[in-house]
Amino acid sequence: MTAQVYETGRRLALGASATSVHWIKGLCFFALGDGTVHVFDDAGALQMKREVHSGPILCAAPHPIAGALLTGGDDGFLCETESDGTLSVVEEFGGKWINHLVSNSASGIFAAALGKSVSVFRKDSQKVVHTFTYPSTVGGLALDAKGRRLAASHYNGITMRYVLMPDDKGQTLNWSGSHLAITLSPDADYVISAMQENALHGWRLPEKIDLRMDGYPAKTRSFSWDKRGRWLATSGANSAIVWPFVGKLGPQGKPPMQPGEREALVTAVAFHPNEEVLAIGYADGAALAVRLNDQMGVELDEPGEGPVTALAWSADGKQIAIGDEAGRGAIISLSS
């Protein structure tokens, strides 16, 4: 099998590990571990390269309305970078690490996590409008599809808040242990967190029913829901672990689908925006695209020198961008 990157793709020399990758108004923004942002067009031609932070970029998210990328670094700066290289400092947090960023175009909200607090911003304001605090360091953030409910993971559970209500004390869902990466289902019926151990914990929110998903050989750090919210794909095993979320008990008592099995661990997953096709990145740098109904796959890229750390489909699903820890990237055109 010839990797698709050689047929309809273009390899990119990023020069640093990829923190994340985002498609914004048809352009591909890579946030990198050397503090730079690189922007490519859909054919993989470099449009702009900009030094943004004095240290690594720890997190990034699209600006909710502008054609720009928000980035948080270990230098304490929250920055906004436009595709022409225009750079704005949104906020400076006195050297505190900005560990997590989320944004939502429907509500125009974006939020940044620093230690035990989350600072909330509105689209029309370049200043913090209010701050939520938590009992311990925030391990992960997620917004629902409407951008109204904010889920934050921390030690011994997660807390749900209405993000536009500064006085909301929140609803805490308790489960012992450290909760890190977190995700909300598209219908906001489920919230799932990755534990410090090799397991997931979750809740069906209307009834507050606990869900536990375990059996992983490694920690889960990457989540992706399909468009309809029927499937949740996760990393942390030698195949993607794809849990069914149909019926009132979601995945409880149901086996997951396990597409794309290889010797290397899965490190990143990303569902196609319109089809039940899953892009899977591995610890050896390889990447596949697998169709769920028959588990037929296409090799997107061959093994390289570092784990895949970033995967993102373009909005129309015709291109996929890949970045890895060794600084290798690619943009590949596909027809599903």
Side-chain angles (χ1 to χ4, degrees):
M1 180 161 47
T2 301
Q4 198 68 27
V5 67
Y6 298 115
E7 302 290 335
T8 59
R10 183 165 177 173
R11 198 177 295 289
L12 314 174
L14 301 175
S17 63
T19 301
S20 60
V21 61
H22 309 266
W23 289 90
I24 302 172
K25 295 189 174 179
L27 295 173
C28 183
F29 288 63
F30 280 91
L32 301 177
D34 64 356
T36 63
V37 171
H38 295 197
V39 178
F40 298 87
D41 67 15
D42 60 0
L46 181 65
Q47 303 297 299
M48 186 278 290
K49 175 182 176 180
R50 183 73 157 84
E51 292 185 10
V52 179
H53 295 271
S54 60
I57 295 175
L58 302 179
C59 52
H63 191 283
I65 56 169
L69 184 69
L70 296 165
T71 54
D74 72 352
D75 55 2
F77 285 87
L78 173 59
C79 296
E80 176 184 327
T81 306
E82 299 179 37
S83 59
D84 63 359
T86 301
L87 175 65
S88 305
V89 175
V90 178
E91 187 63 81
E92 201 276 319
F93 290 100
K96 295 180 181 178
W97 289 20
I98 303 169
N99 291 313
H100 308 284
L101 269 174
V102 289
S103 64
N104 184 278
S105 58
S107 65
I109 287 292
F110 56 103
L114 308 92
K116 298 180 182 179
S117 68
V118 172
S119 296
V120 178
F121 299 77
R122 288 179 183 271
K123 62 184 179 183
D124 52 356
S125 172
Q126 290 296 88
K127 296 182 179 179
V128 177
V129 293
H130 56 265
T131 298
F132 294 128
T133 59
Y134 297 87
S136 60
T137 299
V138 174
L141 287 179
L143 279 167
D144 69 4
K146 295 180 180 178
R148 295 177 180 173
R149 297 197 78 185
L150 177 71
S153 60
H154 46 77
Y155 192 69
N156 284 343
I158 65 116
T159 298
M160 302 291 302
R161 281 187 163 110
Y162 286 95
V163 70
L164 293 171
M165 298 172 60
D167 297 329
D168 187 354
K169 302 301 181 187
Q171 176 191 42
T172 298
L173 301 165
N174 298 307
W175 189 262
S176 296
S178 293
H179 297 253
L180 302 173
I182 189 169
T183 185
L184 274 161
S185 62
D187 59 8
D189 277 351
Y190 295 94
V191 59
I192 309 294
S193 67
M195 305 292 295
Q196 179 63 30
E197 60 267 31
N198 301 340
L200 309 182
H201 194 84
W203 292 264
R204 179 175 162 80
L205 291 172
E207 301 89 358
K208 302 181 185 60
I209 297 172
D210 286 290
L211 309 169
R212 181 171 172 83
M213 292 153 274
D214 52 20
Y216 289 84
K219 294 178 177 58
T220 296
R221 292 292 176 264
S222 180
F223 293 119
S224 182
W225 293 91
D226 78 300
K227 182 180 180 181
R228 293 186 293 174
R230 297 181 63 211
W231 301 101
L232 173 64
T234 63
S235 65
N238 293 91
S239 63
I241 302 299
V242 184
W243 297 97
F245 279 77
V246 179
K248 275 204 164 183
L249 292 179
Q252 289 301 89
K254 301 169 187 170
M257 199 181 295
Q258 300 184 48
E261 183 174 1
R262 296 178 69 250
E263 288 189 7
L265 285 171
V266 171
T267 55
V269 289
F271 261 111
H272 189 280
N274 303 310
E275 309 290 339
E276 288 188 347
V277 173
L278 181 67
I280 308 170
Y282 297 86
D284 63 1
L288 303 179
V290 178
R291 198 165 51 199
L292 285 198
N293 62 1
D294 57 10
Q295 301 202 16
M296 293 293 291
V298 173
E299 184 183 25
L300 298 173
D301 204 353
E302 60 191 9
E305 297 179 356
V308 173
T309 53
L311 276 177
W313 295 90
S314 59
D316 60 6
K318 294 182 178 179
Q319 280 88 28
I320 186 164
I322 306 169
D324 71 18
E325 192 174 280
R328 186 179 71 165
I331 292 177
I332 302 166
S333 295
L334 290 170
S335 56
S336 58

